[in-house]
Amino acid sequence: MVKIDRINLSNEGYTKFFSPIESQIMETLWDMGDMTTSQITENTNIPLSSVAGTLDRLVKAGYVDRDVQNVKGRVRYMYMPTSSRGDVACDITNRVLDSLVDCFGELAVENFSKYKSKI
Amino acid sequence: MSAIQHISDEVGCYINCIQSSSLTWVILMLIALAIFLFIAYLFVSNPDHRITIFASGQVLIISAVWLSFTTMTCNSMFFIDIYLIYTLLTLGIMIFLPRVFDRYLIRHLNAAPITELIGWTQQFVNNLVKGTRVFYFDSAIPKAFAAGRSIFLSVGLLEMLNDDELRAVLAHESWHIMHNKKTHWLKQLSLMTFTTTGIMKPELEQMADRYAASITGRGALDSARLKLFPEDQSTLNP
Ligand SMILES: [Zn+2]
């Protein structure tokens, strides 16, 4: 889950902020929209035993929402991401910048302004 | 007088009392019989017999202890008082806890009546054991357990099992509810003899499984087991 103390800058993509399984699930939900548990296990190729606990955690942390449905007698979860890729990027950026400004103050802000010309 | 001196005096008095009692040979016989039962327990495989033999052994031990108490006339019986308080305390907890534990779980898990989701499961359980309520709770991890007079199923379990497999799990949990009282007495015996309370668990699980198989057939039970515990088929689980 996205926690400042768990950010690992040497990892690729969203695994900088999420665990590999978390980020695989998030990427799949962002790419393909609402999904059932079995669709998630099929698309990510991760066994249910690993997916189930991760989904519980993602729901608890508020990155994913789910509904319980009964379709023709079969109970199932339907999962949906609560925020877009962009929103999560924004959230992560804010948290990282907050911690940098808390630590370095003026100096951090001076350095951020350099990036404006780079982009 | 130092504490150690005091304790050794007390224990010495206990030994004296037992040795001089006319009941000594009865106490020794009870202990010998209990040891015989515990040895027999190791060689029996039928779960019903195993439980009966082990519980009988525990009862004999407790009888021997109780008989020893009655022969004692020591001034200070500190250890015996402590044991009596411990027994009463655990007995109180064992009687009180099951009555409130399911209510605690309903609140803690934010569980809802299963009739809101799949009505037939409640009906199925009521046909097996009256006055039991079935609840579901929000978790993708497949889980089922019984507490007090309630059965709890996670949504993850409902997602995973087909109707036959779900019936097998419900029958298994219903057996636990039917035998709640007996299970509590087994736990009480274990607490009083300082053996672990989980010692009879494999036997109880086997009996619950056998009951489930008699209701739904072995096939449904085995395929439910295979889905719930794919990594290890030999260990039995709640
Ligand atoms: Zn069980």
Side-chain angles (χ1 to χ4, degrees):
Chain A
M1 224 56 48
V2 183
K3 279 188 186 144
I4 293 295
D5 60 356
R6 268 185 53 188
I7 287 180
N8 195 334
L9 295 176
S10 57
N11 286 359
E12 283 296 309
Y14 276 81
T15 55
K16 281 182 173 55
F17 321 105
F18 290 104
S19 81
I21 294 178
E22 286 165 3
S23 77
Q24 240 181 303
I25 291 171
M26 291 310 295
E27 296 277 5
T28 311
L29 285 169
W30 280 326
D31 288 343
M32 310 186 65
D34 299 1
M35 282 182 151
T36 64
T37 313
S38 58
Q39 285 170 330
I40 291 171
T41 54
E42 278 160 32
N43 278 287
T44 54
N45 251 326
I46 307 168
L48 180 74
S49 52
S50 316
V51 165
T54 311
L55 284 170
D56 278 4
R57 264 180 287 130
L58 284 168
V59 168
K60 210 174 163 199
Y63 289 102
V64 173
D65 210 356
R66 65 185 169 196
D67 285 336
V68 184
Q69 303 176 340
N70 183 337
V71 181
K72 292 178 194 151
R74 306 281 327 129
V75 173
R76 66 180 199 194
Y77 271 131
M78 184 60 82
Y79 289 91
M80 54 222 94
T82 51
S83 39
S84 65
R85 262 196 184 87
D87 289 341
V88 171
C90 216
D91 176 50
I92 294 166
T93 310
N94 281 337
R95 285 200 225 182
V96 174
L97 293 189
D98 277 351
S99 77
L100 289 175
V101 171
D102 275 353
C103 185
F104 303 121
E106 286 279 312
L107 197 66
V109 180
E110 265 170 44
N111 275 282
F112 300 153
S113 52
K114 283 188 204 158
Y115 283 83
K116 211 149 197 194
S117 53
K118 276 195 184 178
I119 298 169
Chain B
M1 188 161 38
S2 76
I4 292 166
Q5 180 67 39
H6 196 91
I7 290 167
S8 77
D9 278 0
E10 188 176 328
V11 172
C13 180
Y14 291 169
I15 293 167
N16 248 329
C17 287
I18 292 172
Q19 276 174 346
S20 59
S21 161
S22 56
L23 288 171
T24 308
W25 65 275
V26 182
I27 293 165
L28 286 176
M29 273 230 331
L30 286 174
I31 290 170
L33 206 57
I35 290 170
F36 171 76
L37 286 177
F38 290 137
I39 292 169
Y41 163 82
L42 298 174
F43 293 96
V44 175
S45 59
N46 180 307
D48 309 55
H49 297 163
R50 279 173 74 84
I51 288 180
T52 313
I53 290 171
F54 196 82
S56 307
Q58 289 177 315
V59 170
L60 288 177
I61 293 283
I62 292 166
S63 314
V65 172
W66 178 78
L67 212 57
S68 318
F69 288 179
T70 60
T71 66
M72 285 174 193
T73 50
C74 305
N75 295 329
S76 154
M77 306 227 281
F78 178 70
F79 288 115
I80 290 164
D81 291 343
I82 292 270
Y83 183 70
L84 280 176
I85 290 168
Y86 167 79
T87 301
L88 286 175
L89 220 64
T90 50
L91 193 65
I93 290 168
M94 291 309 283
I95 291 169
F96 173 74
L97 205 62
R99 282 165 211 270
V100 292
F101 191 48
D102 53 348
R103 262 175 276 169
Y104 162 79
L105 279 176
I106 292 166
R107 213 175 319 156
H108 176 73
L109 296 168
N110 201 10
I114 199 140
T115 42
E116 291 173 9
L117 204 56
I118 16 172
W120 68 262
T121 50
Q122 180 65 64
Q123 193 56 48
F124 176 78
V125 167
N126 282 138
N127 290 339
L128 300 177
V129 49
K130 291 219 159 38
T132 298
R133 292 208 294 160
V134 187
F135 293 90
Y136 76 96
F137 62 95
D138 184 32
S139 171
I141 301 166
K143 257 189 212 155
F145 50 90
R149 298 197 68 77
S150 308
I151 293 174
F152 296 88
L153 308 171
S154 70
V155 175
L157 181 103
L158 299 171
E159 275 190 304
M160 180 190 248
L161 303 180
N162 67 32
D163 290 357
D164 284 336
E165 292 156 350
L166 185 53
R167 273 188 203 96
V169 169
L170 287 168
H172 175 109
E173 298 306 329
S174 298
W175 186 92
H176 281 306
I177 304 231
M178 284 177 234
H179 295 83
N180 248 348
K181 284 225 168 70
K182 263 188 234 164
T183 313
H184 287 142
W185 282 114
L186 286 177
K187 282 189 187 156
Q188 180 63 33
L189 280 179
S190 294
L191 285 170
M192 286 173 73
T193 53
F194 303 104
T195 42
T196 70
T197 52
I199 199 154
M200 292 283 112
K201 201 162 184 343
E203 282 81 8
L204 294 172
E205 292 308 318
Q206 247 177 300
M207 287 161 82
D209 270 356
R210 211 177 44 190
Y211 174 75
S214 77
I215 298 287
T216 63
R218 194 83 221 175
L221 180 76
D222 285 344
S223 75
R225 264 207 175 292
L226 200 65
K227 280 187 183 173
L228 284 167
F229 314 109
E231 65 291 330
D232 192 355
Q233 276 305 290
S234 61
T235 50
L236 291 147
N237 228 282

